[in-house]
Amino acid sequence: MAQHHHNYYDKRIAPPLSKSLGHYTHSHHNVKTSPYSCVSIGECDVCSPLEKKTMSYCQAYGNKEPVHCEWTDAGLDGQKNQTTVYDNDAISLPMFQACPRVKRVEQWHLIQFESLNCGVAVLSLLVVVWRQRTLSQEQHLHLARRIGSMECSAVQ
C-alpha cells in the first residue's frame, strides 16, 4: 500500500484561483493589470512612525492618501464593494496609497524659505548701508587730509 501524503496546499483544501480571482496570482502586487481601481477621497497626510516601518504605501514617500477602491476584474463583479475577496488567500482593497507631497508641510517649507530669503535680504541691505557709510567716511577723511595738506603747502 502506497501512502498518500497530502500537502497543506492541496487543491482540495484551497479552492482554485481561477474561480475567484480571474487570472491573477496570489499577490495583487505582482500582476501587470490591477484587479481594482482607486479614487482619491482625501488629502495627502504624513504617515505615523509605525506606518512608515510597516505599511507599504508609506515606504516610498512617508506620506499616505485615503482612497476608495473597487474591483475591476469581471470575475469579481458581484463583489464590487467588498474589501476582501477569497478568505483563504485574501486580496484586500487598499485604503491608502502613497503620495509625494503633503500640502501643509509644503506650505510650511515655503514659509520657511521665504522667511530665510527675507532675512538674507535685510542682512544684505544692512551690510550695504554700513559699507556705504564706511566708504563715505573714509572719502571724507581722505579729502580733509588733502585739503589740510594743501593749506599747509600754500602757507609756506
Side-chain angles (χ1 to χ4, degrees):
M1 266 204 181
Q3 286 188 340
H4 235 290
H5 293 289
H6 288 285
N7 189 333
Y8 177 74
Y9 296 105
D10 189 282
K11 62 184 172 186
R12 288 179 285 166
I13 296 172
L17 285 174
S18 60
K19 281 187 179 175
S20 55
L21 298 178
H23 298 289
Y24 298 105
T25 61
H26 288 279
S27 172
H28 64 280
H29 296 289
N30 296 333
V31 296
K32 291 180 182 171
T33 306
S34 177
Y36 57 84
S37 65
C38 299
V39 177
S40 173
I41 57 171
E43 289 193 15
C44 190
D45 199 11
V46 178
C47 295
S48 70
L50 179 63
E51 286 176 315
K52 287 179 183 178
K53 293 177 184 176
T54 59
M55 305 308 283
S56 62
Y57 52 79
C58 288
Q59 303 288 316
Y61 304 107
N63 303 321
K64 62 183 177 181
E65 178 179 40
V67 292
H68 173 74
C69 300
E70 287 186 354
W71 299 104
T72 55
D73 185 349
L76 303 173
D77 278 343
Q79 300 160 327
K80 280 258 189 230
N81 295 319
Q82 245 180 283
T83 57
T84 305
V85 173
Y86 188 45
D87 292 331
N88 293 340
D89 188 26
I91 292 181
S92 299
L93 289 174
M95 296 177 66
F96 295 97
Q97 68 183 9
C99 55
R101 292 186 174 83
V102 178
K103 190 175 185 178
R104 64 183 163 77
V105 172
E106 291 299 313
Q107 287 174 335
W108 175 243
H109 288 162
L110 179 64
I111 289 169
Q112 287 178 320
F113 177 72
E114 289 177 349
S115 299
L116 179 66
N117 281 332
C118 286
V120 169
V122 167
L123 184 64
S124 298
L125 181 64
L126 291 173
V127 168
V128 166
V129 168
W130 172 79
R131 182 72 178 138
Q132 284 179 333
R133 285 185 179 172
T134 303
L135 287 174
S136 179
Q137 287 174 352
E138 286 177 5
Q139 287 177 343
H140 181 73
L141 287 173
H142 184 65
L143 186 60
R145 283 190 200 127
R146 288 184 83 184
I147 291 172
S149 66
M150 290 175 86
E151 287 178 0
C152 290
S153 61
V155 172
Q156 289 180 352

